[in-house]
Amino acid sequence: MTLLLVVLAAVAAAGVSYLVLEGLGRRGLLPGGLRAVALAALGLLVVNASCPTPPVALRPIALLDASLSMQSAGGRWVEARRLADSLGEVRPFGSERAGRDSGAVLGRSDLAPALVAAAATGRPVVVITDGEIGDAPDLPPDLARAAGVRLLPRAASADRSVVRADAPGRLTVGDTLEVDLELRATAGAADSGAVELRLDDPSRRVLARRTVRLAGGTGRTLLRVPTAGLPAGEHLLELALVGADAEPRDDRRLLHVTLDATPGIVLLAAPGDWDARFLARTMREVTALPTRGYVRFGTQWRRMDDLRPVAEADVREAARQADVLVLKGGTSGYADGSRARGLWRWPSGTGGTAVDAADWYAALGGASPLAAALGGLPVDSFAPGIALSELDPGPGDWIGLTVQASRRGVPRPAMIGRDAGRRRIAETGLDGLWRWAFRGGSSEQGYRALVASTVTWLLGAPDSAGGVARPVRRVVPNGRPVVFEWRGAGEPRAVALSVQGAAPAARADTLRFDGSGHAELWLAPGEYRYRLAEGGEGRIAVEEWSEEWLPRPVVLADQPMGSGAAGGRRGVRDWPWLFALAVAAFCGEWIVRRRLGLR
């Protein structure tokens, strides 16, 4: 209808112009016809009239599950790959590294990002998977309903696996290593399993062995291993199931343990009051560093955990080597010569400082490391402190806590901190903070947050031995990256490193940090030693184990794929010849008019 109206309007305009206004009669038929053609073509281009086009078949997008579960025992990776090739354009999914390898090597089974990207193309989408999707709750419901699913579940097989193995990353030589492990049996596997903890080195020395009963298919136990026979330094330990089963790649876990000659956090208390006891226990619970506490009775130093006597020289050596040194009471002289990056002083009225006994109610000070940790907690309603030592904050110090006696009077500083060159110093003048932890609930959480945030801030001073970056985790599962975090001064910058594995030649790479100060390094399963160009080195490992080897619930079902054809409309502006026709008709009209003596 639009086409007809435009043509009629063009013919009418040309007829009126030549037959009525100019009165040319039959001589005006040729120029009038040319003008009608030109105006009709121009009108069609202006309104961009369109007409329907026949349906065009669109090639589907085949989202192929490239997670490790597809090639586990009973997996159907080869079949899935052939099916995907036959259905359309193959796009692997699973993790942020999808598409970089042609095999099932990804350590996760996340579908949502790939599904959203494929649906945005407007093409039909089909998902080929074993159905063990990790982010099923995050799938957009409309997109999940529109996409086809071809389910290739893996066959059940009798298998025992190490589901979890947790151990502290740092210990002091002589401490007991505790490994919390969980085993699982599936599809009729044996109801017990023997596990060994051994050194992952040529000696293969067995440190512990235990048989675990699997009641209801699951068993959990705690291995305790003395470290007295191990030298200080980094150690890779292997926790492995004894015996063969259907899937051997989930039977072995690697643990990275660093044994320090001296503790990372050293607490010296004289006297050993309630504040010292609660502080030592909480620091062990909320920090990843080995913590050792010493308490002085008279002239004799003893360990806080077992009250074993310790020589004065050993205490001074521990204080000298500590990363964080906490001095409670009359111990200020032990900071001399210490290399500690963080120093936490808690004077308790010793050393000549004035002490005021009262019910001291705390409140948050200004901007400080404690503000984020304690923000939102009713600090002023927590149990009051019992005594306050005088603190003298400098102009550049932060004030984390202030107190008032019986909630009256001028607020006085109770916890301050400062940067002193390459060392950070925190001072606490309030005694009785152990009452926060003793009462439980939000006050206990506030105490734990105070301790954790203070130690974290103290450790934030530059560590010349560790380099400008360090791994967040020394051992990562198969298909996951080793993540480095920036630890240097200033804004993160690219750092070159070399990685030496089993191959003779070292691999050169560059760590490029994102806005959060993290960089990823992708490695194949194996054990490596890294060295940063700006100083710092250590051991890292990518284990063969992955949670993808463990059977998980199937959360998708087969469903047909949507139509593979789509129609549309085509506008006249897609016809290039129409532009040429308009220009030619106007030119022809001008030539005819000139020959008729018209302008």
Side-chain angles (χ1 to χ4, degrees):
M1 180 61 70
T2 303
L3 294 173
L4 181 60
L5 292 176
V6 171
V7 172
L8 291 177
V11 171
V16 170
S17 176
Y18 279 97
L19 300 180
V20 177
L21 297 180
E22 297 194 20
L24 294 179
R26 297 185 59 170
R27 290 191 308 156
L29 292 179
L30 180 57
L34 291 172
R35 177 173 290 189
V37 171
L39 292 177
L42 188 61
L44 292 175
L45 290 172
V46 170
V47 301
N48 194 26
S50 61
C51 59
T53 58
V56 177
L58 299 177
R59 190 184 183 200
I61 294 177
L63 297 180
L64 176 61
D65 189 347
S67 62
L68 289 167
S69 64
M70 294 294 290
Q71 62 165 338
S72 64
R76 301 162 66 179
W77 168 250
V78 176
E79 181 182 352
R81 181 74 206 195
R82 285 200 300 263
L83 179 60
D85 289 336
S86 66
L87 290 178
E89 177 189 337
V90 179
R91 294 187 183 180
F93 74 87
S95 72
E96 65 274 13
R97 203 169 183 238
R100 300 191 184 183
D101 202 294
S102 59
V105 297
L106 304 180
R108 298 175 64 176
S109 299
D110 293 343
L111 173 59
L115 181 60
V116 172
T121 65
R123 295 159 59 184
V125 179
V126 59
V127 180
I128 298 96
T129 177
D130 57 10
E132 301 177 15
I133 302 300
D135 63 345
D138 299 328
L139 295 177
D142 55 337
L143 300 184
R145 288 191 299 267
V149 177
R150 297 295 295 273
L151 200 62
L152 301 175
R154 54 174 153 175
S157 56
D159 180 60
R160 294 172 305 163
S161 56
V162 181
V163 177
R164 183 171 56 84
D166 295 329
R170 295 175 67 102
L171 292 171
T172 306
V173 173
D175 288 347
T176 298
L177 172 66
E178 295 186 346
V179 181
D180 186 6
L181 64 95
E182 181 180 352
L183 307 182
R184 181 184 301 168
T186 58
D191 60 357
S192 65
V195 293
E196 288 184 350
L197 181 67
R198 49 183 178 254
L199 289 175
D200 191 28
D201 61 11
S203 72
R204 312 298 290 174
R205 173 185 164 191
V206 177
L207 303 178
R209 180 186 175 99
R210 179 172 299 177
T211 300
V212 182
R213 298 288 299 176
L214 305 178
T218 303
R220 184 175 176 179
T221 190
L222 186 67
L223 289 179
R224 291 184 173 88
V225 183
T227 61
L230 299 177
E234 294 182 284
H235 298 275
L236 271 178
L237 308 180
E238 178 187 68
L239 180 71
L241 276 164
V242 179
D245 55 18
E247 180 53 83
R249 291 170 291 188
D250 61 9
D251 297 347
R252 177 175 176 262
R253 300 298 307 270
L254 294 178
L255 303 171
H256 181 277
V257 177
T258 300
L259 295 181
D260 296 326
T262 56
I265 301 177
V266 174
L267 167 62
L268 306 183
D273 54 12
W274 284 101
D275 274 312
R277 294 173 62 181
F278 274 86
L279 181 60
R281 185 188 71 180
T282 305
M283 285 193 298
R284 290 191 183 98
E285 294 174 351
V286 302
T287 65
L289 290 175
T291 302
R292 182 68 55 80
Y294 300 95
V295 58
R296 187 169 64 195
F297 295 100
T299 59
Q300 177 65 61
W301 283 100
R302 296 178 180 270
R303 289 178 47 156
M304 294 185 71
D305 50 359
D306 55 13
L307 295 183
R308 199 168 59 194
V310 182
E312 171 80 13
D314 293 339
V315 174
R316 288 193 176 275
E317 179 63 16
R320 190 180 72 84
Q321 297 291 340
D323 284 326
V324 174
L325 179 60
V326 185
L327 301 177
K328 182 77 171 69
T331 56
S332 58
Y334 288 84
D336 298 337
S338 175
R339 63 163 193 159
R341 288 183 284 153
L343 179 61
W344 191 350
R345 292 195 179 104
W346 203 317
S348 296
T350 60
T353 59
V355 174
D356 292 334
D359 286 338
W360 294 98
Y361 287 88
L364 286 177
S368 74
L370 307 185
L374 298 178
L377 294 176
V379 177
D380 57 348
S381 66
F382 293 170
I386 57 177
L388 181 68
S389 299
E390 188 72 25
L391 298 179
D392 185 19
D397 294 2
W398 53 259
I399 300 177
L401 288 178
T402 61
V403 292
Q404 290 177 294
S406 301
R407 296 195 174 95
R408 295 190 297 271
V410 177
R412 297 171 58 179
M415 189 165 184
I416 63 176
R418 70 182 69 92
D419 281 291
R422 296 189 62 83
R423 173 179 289 179
R424 288 182 169 180
I425 300 174
E427 295 186 63
T428 301
L430 183 64
D431 279 8
L433 283 176
W434 63 270
R435 292 178 166 188
W436 290 15
F438 185 77
R439 289 194 175 185
S442 61
S443 65
E444 180 184 15
Q445 296 305 314
Y447 183 80
R448 292 170 65 89
L450 182 147
V451 173
S453 58
T454 303
V455 173
T456 299
W457 178 78
L458 291 172
L459 286 170
D463 183 4
S464 58
V468 297
R470 68 179 182 185
V472 176
R473 294 177 58 190
R474 299 279 181 162
V475 178
V476 298
N478 191 356
R480 303 301 300 154
V482 179
V483 178
F484 284 78
E485 64 178 352
W486 177 259
R487 301 292 295 176
E491 292 295 321
R493 59 182 180 273
V495 178
L497 84 163
S498 61
V499 181
Q500 180 68 58
R507 166 186 166 181
D509 211 322
T510 302
L511 298 177
R512 303 187 186 278
F513 296 88
D514 58 20
S516 63
H518 292 87
E520 294 182 348
L521 178 65
W522 292 88
L523 298 169
E527 300 168 14
Y528 305 88
R529 178 166 288 278
Y530 75 90
R531 183 187 299 272
L532 300 176
E534 301 185 25
E537 60 181 306
R539 295 181 70 180
I540 53 178
V542 179
E543 54 186 344
E544 190 70 29
W545 184 93
S546 170
E547 64 179 4
E548 290 291 324
W549 304 130
L550 309 176
R552 293 175 297 168
V554 175
V555 296
L556 296 182
D558 275 306
Q559 65 184 36
M561 181 175 57
S563 173
R569 300 185 67 84
R570 186 179 184 186
V572 297
R573 293 179 186 173
D574 295 329
W575 301 340
W577 60 267
L578 197 59
F579 291 89
L581 178 63
V583 173
F586 277 123
C587 291
E589 181 193 7
W590 180 82
I591 294 173
V592 173
R593 287 179 63 87
R594 296 293 293 175
R595 289 189 174 184
L596 292 176
L598 301 175
R599 293 183 179 182

